[in-house]
């Protein structure tokens, strides 16, 4: 068994708790307008086996310590569920913490893959089907299937929301987000990520039009203010 992996970062600090090995899979069904990794949209030649990934992680294990681990990211890791399951089985024998960084849009088999995951980092694109389709090019239905399986799994969840100027940077949207995530169990953490244009050069190299060419980077101070107000309301409504 092999999978198409773009890269493996061996000292990740923002992809879950502690120091982490981050496995970036190629392939994604979504075409998010703010995506900064368009080079990972398409699957490429298979280049890693589960044993290959395990061996690389084990070389880093001394740095991971008790609160670190492995994060499967992408692209979309849920397009590689069988591979992740086999890799996770090897990692669990070494008590390695496993996180899944996902948009929740894969090929199904969600309940099975979630058996081998300790933490899910779920990227919320939008709270309505219309808004979701505008940003990603797809309907929101598949995400709803994943959330249903996630709730059944009883796994810990981190929520991430990209704050985009004139789209998700307002109280109307954050109020809808507050309602939307009420249906998701075991949320431990919520992050707002300010939109940025750091991936724009990749689009030029790939000869792809940059979708948000009319947008500036999200103001970080405004993003923090939105977050502070959101968390206050979230805590009040728990």
């Amino acid at each position: 068994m092999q999978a198409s992996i773009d890269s493996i970062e061996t000292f990740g600090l923002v992809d879950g708790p502690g120091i982490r090995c981050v496995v970036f899979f190629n392939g994604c069904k979504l075409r998010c307008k703010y995506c900064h990794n368009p080079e990972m949209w398409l699957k490429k030649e298979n280049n890693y086996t589960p044993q290959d990934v395990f061996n690389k992680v084990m070389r880093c294990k001394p740095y991971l310590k008790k609160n670190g681990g492995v994060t499967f990211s992408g692209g979309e890791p849920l397009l590689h569920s069988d591979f992740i399951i086999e890799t996770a089985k090897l990692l669990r024998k070494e008590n390695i913490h496993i996180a899944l960084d996902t948009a929740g849009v894969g090929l199904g088999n969600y309940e099975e893959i979630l058996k081998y995951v300790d933490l899910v980092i779920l990227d919320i694109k939008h709270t309505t089907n219309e808004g979701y389709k505008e940003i990603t090019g797809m309907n929101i239905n598949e995400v709803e299937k994943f959330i249903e399986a996630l709730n059944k799994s009883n796994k810990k969840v981190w929520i991430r929301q990209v704050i985009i100027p004139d789209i998700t940077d307002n109280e109307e949207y954050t109020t809808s987000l507050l309602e939307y995530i009420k249906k998701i169990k075991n949320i431990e953490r919520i992050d707002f990520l300010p939109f940025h244009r750091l991936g724009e050069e990749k689009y030029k190299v790939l000869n792809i039009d940059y979708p948000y060419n009319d947008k500036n980077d999200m103001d970080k101070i405004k993003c923090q203010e939105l977050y502070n107000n959101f968390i206050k309301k979230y805590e009040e409504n728990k």
Side-chain angles (χ1 to χ4, degrees):
M1 179 186 292
Q2 290 187 315
S4 175
I5 292 175
D6 179 82
S7 60
I8 299 179
E9 182 181 340
T10 57
F11 204 82
L13 297 173
V14 295
D15 301 278
I19 298 171
R20 310 192 70 80
C21 281
V22 188
V23 183
F24 292 96
F25 288 90
N26 288 312
C28 185
K29 290 183 175 183
L30 305 182
R31 293 295 180 267
C32 299
K33 291 183 176 180
Y34 58 74
C35 180
H36 57 273
N37 292 320
E39 74 279 9
M40 297 184 199
W41 283 348
L42 301 179
K43 286 186 178 180
K44 302 177 179 68
E45 183 179 354
N46 291 330
N47 54 354
Y48 275 85
T49 67
Q51 189 67 47
D52 291 335
V53 175
F54 174 77
N55 291 343
K56 188 144 190 172
V57 172
M58 290 309 295
R59 289 196 290 271
C60 303
K61 188 178 180 182
Y63 301 101
L64 304 181
K65 301 181 181 179
K66 289 184 178 181
N67 63 336
V70 172
T71 299
F72 295 116
S73 187
E76 176 51 68
L78 288 176
L79 297 179
H80 306 266
S81 57
D82 290 343
F83 183 94
I84 289 176
I85 288 168
E86 292 307 309
T87 308
K89 287 177 180 178
L90 297 173
L91 295 172
R92 280 187 170 275
K93 292 177 181 178
E94 298 293 330
N95 296 315
I96 303 291
H97 182 276
I98 298 170
L100 183 71
D101 187 350
T102 178
V105 179
L107 301 174
N109 201 29
Y110 301 138
E111 291 186 19
E112 184 65 22
I113 192 173
L114 287 167
K115 291 178 183 177
Y116 301 93
V117 171
D118 300 297
L119 169 69
V120 172
I121 304 170
L122 182 59
D123 183 8
I124 304 295
K125 306 298 183 179
H126 203 280
T127 59
T128 69
N129 187 57
E130 181 182 8
Y132 188 93
K133 192 168 186 178
E134 171 63 26
I135 290 172
T136 70
M138 287 190 66
N139 292 322
I140 203 169
N141 309 36
E142 193 65 27
V143 183
E144 301 300 318
K145 294 178 185 177
F146 179 75
I147 290 174
E148 183 179 352
L150 178 58
N151 285 336
K152 289 179 181 177
S153 75
N154 210 33
K155 300 297 181 177
K156 297 176 180 178
V157 180
W158 289 10
I159 296 293
R160 286 182 172 173
Q161 171 70 65
V162 176
I163 302 301
I164 312 165
D166 304 318
I167 298 178
T168 59
D169 68 337
N170 55 78
E171 190 171 347
E172 180 182 358
Y173 178 78
T174 57
T175 299
S176 74
L177 178 63
L178 192 66
E179 289 300 312
Y180 185 81
I181 64 173
K182 282 182 179 179
K183 63 185 174 186
I184 302 174
K185 298 179 180 178
N186 301 318
I187 295 176
E188 282 195 337
R189 172 171 168 168
I190 302 168
D191 293 314
F192 280 9
L193 308 180
F195 164 80
H196 61 72
R197 298 176 59 130
L198 295 178
E200 185 176 2
E201 288 302 315
K202 294 181 181 180
Y203 286 78
K204 292 179 182 178
V205 170
L206 294 169
N207 199 27
I208 303 172
D209 289 336
Y210 187 64
Y212 281 158
N213 198 44
D214 60 333
K215 295 191 181 301
N216 296 318
D217 287 2
M218 180 64 202
D219 183 274
K220 293 182 179 180
I221 294 176
K222 181 179 179 181
C223 186
Q224 186 63 48
E225 290 173 350
L226 276 171
Y227 178 77
N228 292 342
N229 291 334
F230 176 86
I231 289 298
K232 181 179 179 181
K233 292 178 181 177
Y234 176 76
E235 294 294 336
E236 289 173 351
N237 285 276
K238 267 187 175 182

